[in-house]
Amino acid sequence: MLAQLMMMLGLLTLLPAGVALGLGSVPLCQRLGLVALALCALGLLLLRLPGVDLQRIDLQWNEALAVTALAFLLAAASMVWPMMAAGIRPLDALLETASAVTTTGLTVLRGVEEIDPALLFLRAWMQWYGGLGIAVLTVALIMRHHASARRLIETSGERLSNASARQHARTVFIVYVLLSGLALAAVWAAGTDPFDALLYTLASVATGGFAPADASLAPLPVAAVAVLTTVCLLSAVTLPLYARIPSQGLSVLWRDEEVRALLAATLLTTLLLMLLWIWQQDLEPEMDWQSALGHSVALGVSAQTTTGFSTLELTALSPAAQLVLVLSMTIGGCTGSAAGGLKLVRLLVLLRLVQLALRRTAIGERAVLHARVDGHILQPDMITGALQLLSLWLAVLLLSWLLFLVYGYAPLPSLFEVVSAIANAGLSTGLTGTDLEPTLKAVLIGDMLFGRVEILAMLVLFYPPTWIARRRKL
């Protein structure tokens, strides 16, 4: 399995190598080519080891989790040397690649407009295949054990029908590619430079947030900002739902409770930001209400979908507005989408449990009540999984925040940066940079990986006794 994973990453590296060659960035092309060659060669070597028989592999659940976590770790680590072509140190390069492949968008780079365009494409490409590409391809790799593949997809709370996980992965990938193509055409048509349109599209479809400008979306025409904001919102919707539109119509989206929750949460975030601006004059006093509404919508969608684009400096916002963004990033988007965060389905699970507890106070002791989400009865394992992830997420958040406080950083900016990393959002108050302490850079790298692959998968990978020599008896 490791061999196939390395070969897959090697093939994914060929495209940015070709782009670097076409743009005249020979040193970067050479680095990417050598990395691709090394990954493919090592993969082939592993495949030829005695005793390796892919036809007889029985991949179990704990190993499937380890493979998923390993995919993101390898993707980030293998691109460190090429990323160092930007003249940054190894740890900074690792933070950049981890941010890319986890679709976070936190960056240590400044003066992005002057950086090698091929390197910017590499970042955007990593965000694109990190969005769902690695997850989908990893599921495809472990298809020989159907139950593991199915459970791997269901870790995010998504429910599968009787269709195979292989078909599910194929459907998600096709939708992802089609959405990317349509988004590119729309962003280009909105008046954006073709190459910039490509970079913005790759980042927005993946809800990644890397931009070819330090000011993110601010330099773009209003039409382009509107298009990208829409793309981010569409990418935060459960992608398999789009495949049902031809047979069930657009109403299939509205019938999904999680999609309705996404729209409600985005609208609430936008309204709160707008009201705070009116009340506290967060933005420039001379700004008219139409411009303020535009900023509120763009930031509200960016935070809720965990994309990380911005149209203004977040340091200009009041503490209350920053806290609203923190809560929005924490909740995140829908399961089965490119968005990060805890995911809305888990919020719905918690709300239904509270609602059920309140209802039980008003009925007889023997009455039978069930908590439901989207018409489905919540099973004990789903409730346990949601509470388990929430506990782990909160523990990682508090520990990371504590370390920032120990180093003397202000509480709210520190909380904002940590939540942005764990939720894979990428919005920043300016703490992330080359001058950040190495320990805190490592904390952010860990947070981004924990957030993207689910904390349990990372714990399984870093605790080998759970998957080495622990195969079940058949």
Side-chain angles (χ1 to χ4, degrees):
M1 195 56 56
L2 177 61
Q4 291 174 295
L5 178 58
M6 296 181 76
M7 293 177 66
M8 177 187 75
L9 291 174
L11 293 175
L12 288 172
T13 306
L14 292 177
L15 180 59
V19 171
L21 181 62
L23 293 175
S25 182
V26 177
L28 179 59
C29 176
Q30 292 173 337
R31 294 189 181 206
L32 289 170
L34 288 173
V35 169
L37 180 62
L39 288 170
C40 291
L42 287 173
L44 287 173
L45 182 63
L46 289 175
L47 284 177
R48 294 181 179 276
L49 289 177
V52 176
D53 186 358
L54 296 179
Q55 300 298 322
R56 301 181 62 182
I57 288 179
D58 175 32
L59 196 68
Q60 59 190 44
W61 169 230
N62 52 351
E63 295 166 335
L65 286 176
V67 168
T68 305
L70 194 59
F72 284 88
L73 282 175
L74 278 178
S78 62
M79 290 296 107
V80 168
W81 184 49
M83 190 63 66
M84 289 173 63
I88 57 179
R89 292 168 293 185
L91 184 58
D92 291 338
L94 180 59
L95 191 150
E96 202 73 17
T97 58
S99 181
V101 78
T102 59
T103 72
T104 303
L106 289 174
T107 180
V108 298
L109 299 180
R110 299 294 184 267
V112 175
E113 294 87 348
E114 306 301 323
I115 292 177
D116 183 359
L119 196 67
L120 298 182
F121 176 81
L122 172 61
R123 295 195 317 165
W125 173 243
M126 290 183 69
Q127 286 205 320
W128 188 85
Y129 71 65
L132 274 183
I134 281 187
V136 169
L137 292 174
T138 302
V139 170
L141 286 178
I142 65 175
M143 287 317 304
R144 294 209 164 273
H145 194 78
H146 178 85
S148 289
R150 177 166 177 163
R151 289 186 66 188
L152 177 61
I153 298 174
E154 290 179 340
T155 54
S156 62
E158 183 178 351
R159 298 172 298 276
L160 290 181
S161 64
N162 293 329
S164 69
R166 183 188 294 275
Q167 180 60 40
H168 173 92
R170 185 182 298 115
T171 299
V172 171
F173 186 74
I174 291 174
V175 170
Y176 196 61
V177 172
L178 289 177
L179 182 60
S180 301
L182 293 174
L184 176 59
V187 175
W188 189 3
T192 309
D193 173 81
F195 187 71
D196 286 348
L198 175 61
L199 299 183
Y200 278 114
T201 297
L202 293 175
S204 61
V205 172
T207 66
F210 274 150
D214 284 342
S216 192
L217 300 185
L220 296 180
V222 174
V225 174
V227 169
L228 287 169
T229 300
T230 303
V231 171
C232 294
L233 191 59
L234 293 175
S235 298
V237 172
T238 305
L239 295 183
L241 287 177
Y242 293 118
R244 303 179 194 171
I245 292 178
S247 59
Q248 301 181 33
L250 287 173
S251 61
V252 69
L253 298 177
W254 181 249
R255 290 198 301 269
D256 188 89
E257 187 173 3
E258 200 174 8
V259 174
R260 297 197 302 271
L262 172 65
L263 295 176
T266 303
L267 180 60
L268 178 60
T269 301
T270 299
L271 289 176
L272 286 175
L273 291 175
M274 185 67 181
L275 290 174
L276 286 171
W277 173 76
I278 294 174
W279 183 28
Q280 299 182 329
Q281 291 292 300
D282 278 354
L283 307 179
E284 293 85 349
E286 65 274 10
M287 184 178 296
D288 56 42
W289 71 268
Q290 294 96 332
S291 298
L293 178 60
H295 287 300
S296 298
V297 171
L299 277 178
V301 172
S302 180
Q304 194 64 55
T305 62
T306 69
T307 302
F309 286 142
S310 61
T311 53
L312 46 76
E313 288 289 337
L314 298 184
T315 52
L317 299 179
S318 67
Q322 292 183 20
L323 188 57
V324 168
L325 293 178
V326 165
L327 295 174
S328 182
M329 291 187 294
T330 299
I331 296 170
C334 300
T335 55
S337 73
L342 283 171
K343 302 296 174 58
L344 284 156
V345 69
R346 294 188 176 107
L347 175 64
L348 292 174
V349 168
L350 295 178
L351 290 178
R352 292 295 181 270
L353 291 178
V354 172
Q355 183 183 40
L356 182 63
L358 293 175
R359 290 177 60 191
R360 281 177 173 168
T361 63
I363 61 174
E365 294 182 359
R366 297 184 179 182
V368 178
L369 293 176
H370 295 287
R372 296 175 180 268
V373 171
D374 205 20
H376 299 272
I377 296 177
L378 293 179
Q379 301 300 324
D381 59 342
M382 187 175 184
I383 296 173
T384 302
L387 296 176
Q388 178 187 66
L389 179 71
L390 180 61
S391 301
L392 291 172
W393 212 89
L394 185 59
V396 172
L397 169 63
L398 292 177
L399 179 59
S400 301
W401 188 25
L402 176 62
L403 289 174
F404 270 81
L405 297 179
V406 167
Y407 275 87
Y409 288 94
L412 184 55
S414 300
L415 178 64
F416 194 101
E417 214 78 3
V418 168
V419 169
S420 183
I422 301 178
N424 304 127
L427 291 171
S428 175
T429 55
L431 296 188
T432 303
T434 56
D435 56 344
L436 186 67
E437 287 78 2
T439 301
L440 299 183
K441 290 177 184 176
V443 167
L444 292 179
I445 292 170
D447 288 343
M448 290 186 286
L449 290 169
F450 273 124
R452 188 61 192 172
V453 301
E454 301 286 345
I455 295 174
L456 182 61
M458 290 297 294
L459 292 178
V460 168
L461 179 64
F462 287 127
Y463 188 62
T466 62
W467 53 275
I468 292 180
R470 286 287 187 266
R471 298 192 61 80
R472 61 179 178 272
K473 295 180 180 180
L474 298 177

